[in-house]
Amino acid sequence: MRTQVAIIGGGPSGLLLSHLLHLNGIDTVVLERKTKAYVLGRIRAGVLETGFVDLLREAKVSKRLDEEGFVHNGAVIAYGNSEFGIDFKELTGRHVVVYGQTEVTRDLYEARENTDGHLVFEAENVAIHGADTDAPFVTYQIAGTEKRLDCEFVAGCDGFHGVSRQTIPGSIRNEYEKIYPFGWLGVLSETPPVHEELIYSGSERGFALCSMRNSNLSRYYIQCSLKDSAAKWSDQAFWKELKRRIPEAYRDKLVTGPSIEKSIAPLRSFVTEPMRWGRLFLCGDAAHIVPPTGAKGLNTAASDVHYLLNGLVQHYHDKDPSGLDRYSETALARVWKAERFSWATTTLLHRFPDQTEFDIKMQQADVEFLRESLSAQKVFAENYVGLPY
């Protein structure tokens, strides 16, 4: 089998790249290790930047997003019982949209299937060959039978644990990582959101986030120990702890109920450089991870797709290699800014095991500065709604 662009990974970034390339007359094959049902069963965040929403509209897959997505014009920052709002719309003229990653993926699968996109599921033992040559190819197995996919370029959209990043020789890769000494315990419940905007709350007991998926589906998180397990947290214990970490004004308003999903996610910042080796290009989590505090994980993947899409279109339509040549440098410049925002927001509102009283006072001063300074709020808002591509 032969294609122009082999895409490793059938998550949202791989599917979005595939569909946008299709709309530009460029052939792709998407290889996914898991089943479609497994991919759609993964629970992920869903705060979408303006740029990502524009990409989905460009891909002609925004119908449900436009009908069902929650437009958010701001966010609430809380510290103890004190709170204040940051108005994204007033400060930047833009907003974000809450629309679950699962739903984005579902829409993209439907679009690829409606246009006879070539999707290969349960592709095991994927290996990338000749990425540093003019004739790369990918091998994989389906039910134990080896297959070969010849291509002109490979897009590695297969996440942190995928094969794409590991294909780049260690002598070429530079990896930068920060592991945070805590995780997030997240609960999904069929309850109305406690507030129309997201609440980011710091407290002496640790961080909490109040979010939502729709008008009767809420997502809540609390900072927890990495030694914790979700099974040890009863629903009652979770709700009790969440109420301790949010301002009193919201404790009585919080509607609780049985959890329909509960899990713990570790937090890390990670970047690998370069994001290109020969004809292999890394996208999304294959190249970088951010802590979820800044809502940048899916959005940085979208910006990678934007830059790689433009580079491939230039290559095929205009015989111009400059976009592909600059891909890694251009993508990384934006990635590092997203990493900075996610790190800074995490540092602002979480409790760290080794924090001194001085550190806590500095944290409180940072929150107060953000409250009092419109300039600081504008910087926060500009980063939250998404820096330009």
Side-chain angles (χ1 to χ4, degrees), residues 160-181:
F160 182 79
H161 298 290
V163 302
S164 297
R165 184 180 73 258
Q166 300 300 326
T167 299
I168 301 176
S171 59
I172 293 174
R173 273 186 288 128
N174 293 303
E175 297 185 345
Y176 307 88
E177 186 172 39
K178 177 178 178 61
I179 303 294
Y180 296 86

Side-chain angles (χ1 to χ4, degrees), residues 27-72:
D27 186 52
T28 68
V29 173
V30 177
L31 303 178
E32 169 54 47
R33 186 168 62 91
K34 299 292 188 177
T35 65
K36 176 183 173 182
Y38 180 91
V39 175
L40 289 174
R42 293 185 294 213
I43 303 296
R44 296 289 187 272
V47 178
L48 310 184
E49 294 177 352
T50 304
F52 192 10
V53 172
D54 290 344
L55 268 182
L56 292 172
R57 289 177 178 151
E58 181 183 340
K60 300 180 174 61
V61 294
S62 65
K63 184 176 185 297
R64 279 208 310 138
L65 165 69
D66 291 332
E67 293 174 350
E68 302 174 16
F70 272 52
V71 172
H72 283 258

Side-chain angles (χ1 to χ4, degrees), residues 47 63 77 90 105 133 197 219 227 293 295 330 343 387:
V47 178
K63 184 176 185 297
I77 306 296
E90 180 178 329
T105 308
T133 73
E197 303 289 11
R219 185 73 165 166
K227 296 178 182 179
T293 325
T330 305
W343 162 81
L387 298 174

Side-chain angles (χ1 to χ4, degrees), residues 16 22 26 28 38-39 54 67 74 115 150 161 186 217 233 309 386:
L16 180 58
H22 162 76
I26 299 168
T28 68
Y38 180 91
V39 175
D54 290 344
E67 293 174 350
T115 53
D150 290 284
H161 298 290
L217 190 62
W233 280 85
L309 168 71

Side-chain angles (χ1 to χ4, degrees), residues 80-83 243 245-253:
N81 277 322
S82 176
E83 64 173 281
K243 287 182 178 181
R245 300 187 187 192
I246 60 177
E248 290 180 1
Y250 301 114
R251 292 173 192 171
D252 293 336
K253 296 179 182 178

Side-chain angles (χ1 to χ4, degrees), residues 247-281:
E248 290 180 1
Y250 301 114
R251 292 173 192 171
D252 293 336
K253 296 179 182 178
L254 182 67
V255 179
T256 64
S259 63
I260 57 177
E261 194 272 340
K262 189 185 298 174
S263 59
I264 291 179
L267 271 64
R268 66 152 54 95
S269 298
F270 175 86
V271 180
T272 189
E273 298 182 352
M275 289 174 58
R276 175 192 182 178
W277 182 54
R279 291 183 171 237
L280 168 62
F281 299 82

Side-chain angles (χ1 to χ4, degrees), residues 147-161:
K147 307 284 186 178
R148 173 170 168 148
L149 175 61
D150 290 284
C151 56
E152 296 167 7
F153 297 98
V154 180
C157 304
D158 51 347
F160 182 79
H161 298 290

